[in-house]
Amino acid sequence: MSTRRKTGDVGEIIVSTDALAKLFGYTRQRINQLGQEGILEKQANGRWPLMKNVQRFIDFLKTGRKNQDDDEHQAMFWEEKALHEKAKREMAEIKLAKLKNQMHDAADVEFVMTNMLVTFRNRILAIPDKVAPKVLGVKSLSEISDIISTELHEALTELSEYDPALFVGGGEDAEDDTVVSEDPEGGGTAAEADGE
């Protein structure tokens, strides 16, 4: 009668290389090669923990990789997925900010600001031509100062009138960046006043 030791835990069973080769349908050499590659785990020379190696062999058959590579592959996958999700979130935040008119494309800002500054420049350069006829017969320094101040305040007020709607798609439809506005009191255009 052979004496076999009974064990209550299958996870503690240790088998020989021959037994593992017979179980997996491989040769002894292939089992040793899988051990060297890290796919199977050897406890001692010719001794293999059965439960652990059955699990590792099943994982290997499913994925074609050893566990360490799987762990690295999983870590890389989740890292890439996290980076992708972060980029998607940032894109959604930018899109939402644009929809709420809290953020604008650089081209739109450049287009609107250029137009505003060109208009302001032309308005300021037109002030002497506009004010000269008004102050021609005025003798009081305070009246002259008031007339000039009024014109300057009008020009500055025009510049301060910010409208967020100006930034919506302003740069896309723009074909000509020059602004020519009619000067109502000077009789010419602001661009003409610029050239004088």
Side-chain angles (χ1 to χ4, degrees):
M1 202 194 280
S2 71
T3 58
R4 290 198 165 186
R5 187 174 56 143
K6 290 188 177 184
T7 178
D9 186 12
V10 177
E12 296 177 9
I13 297 176
I14 305 297
V15 295
S16 67
T17 306
D18 289 328
L20 203 57
K22 188 181 263 189
L23 179 67
F24 293 159
Y26 285 151
T27 63
R28 288 177 49 103
Q29 291 81 7
R30 179 64 178 146
I31 296 297
N32 285 325
Q33 182 184 14
L34 291 173
Q36 289 172 350
E37 292 173 1
I39 295 167
L40 298 178
E41 183 178 311
K42 188 185 283 191
Q43 185 176 29
N45 194 14
R47 311 306 285 164
W48 307 83
L50 181 64
M51 186 64 139
K52 193 179 281 187
N53 283 308
V54 167
Q55 289 170 341
R56 291 175 72 124
F57 187 69
I58 290 170
D59 289 342
F60 170 71
L61 291 177
K62 283 182 184 176
T63 63
R65 292 188 209 102
K66 58 185 179 178
N67 280 350
Q68 185 179 9
D69 284 346
D70 283 344
D71 292 344
E72 290 173 14
H73 184 270
Q74 279 291 94
M76 286 173 47
F77 170 78
W78 288 112
E79 184 178 342
E80 285 297 317
K81 185 163 180 73
L83 289 173
H84 178 71
E85 290 300 316
K86 180 182 177 188
K88 278 177 37 179
R89 188 191 80 235
E90 288 174 355
M91 291 291 288
E93 288 173 357
I94 290 170
K95 196 173 193 177
L96 179 63
K98 282 184 180 182
L99 288 173
K100 289 182 173 183
N101 217 11
Q102 295 172 339
M103 182 181 291
H104 309 289
D105 286 329
D108 293 342
V109 172
E110 181 181 358
F111 174 77
V112 171
M113 293 305 297
T114 299
N115 285 341
M116 286 176 68
L117 292 173
V118 166
T119 302
F120 178 69
R121 178 181 176 271
N122 291 340
R123 183 93 156 96
I124 294 295
L125 290 174
I127 288 176
D129 293 334
K130 199 172 182 182
V131 171
K134 292 180 182 180
V135 297
L136 190 60
V138 180
K139 304 254 189 255
S140 168
L141 190 58
S142 66
E143 282 184 57
I144 294 172
S145 179
D146 287 343
I147 293 170
I148 293 172
S149 292
T150 302
E151 287 298 321
L152 288 173
H153 284 291
E154 282 180 22
L156 291 171
T157 302
E158 186 178 312
L159 181 67
S160 70
E161 293 173 355
Y162 167 76
D163 182 11
L166 292 173
F167 289 95
V168 179
E172 296 170 4
D173 300 328
E175 293 178 2
D176 188 10
D177 285 344
T178 59
V179 175
V180 178
S181 61
E182 190 70 32
D183 186 4
E185 293 182 24
T189 62
E192 290 172 1
D194 187 24
E196 293 179 11

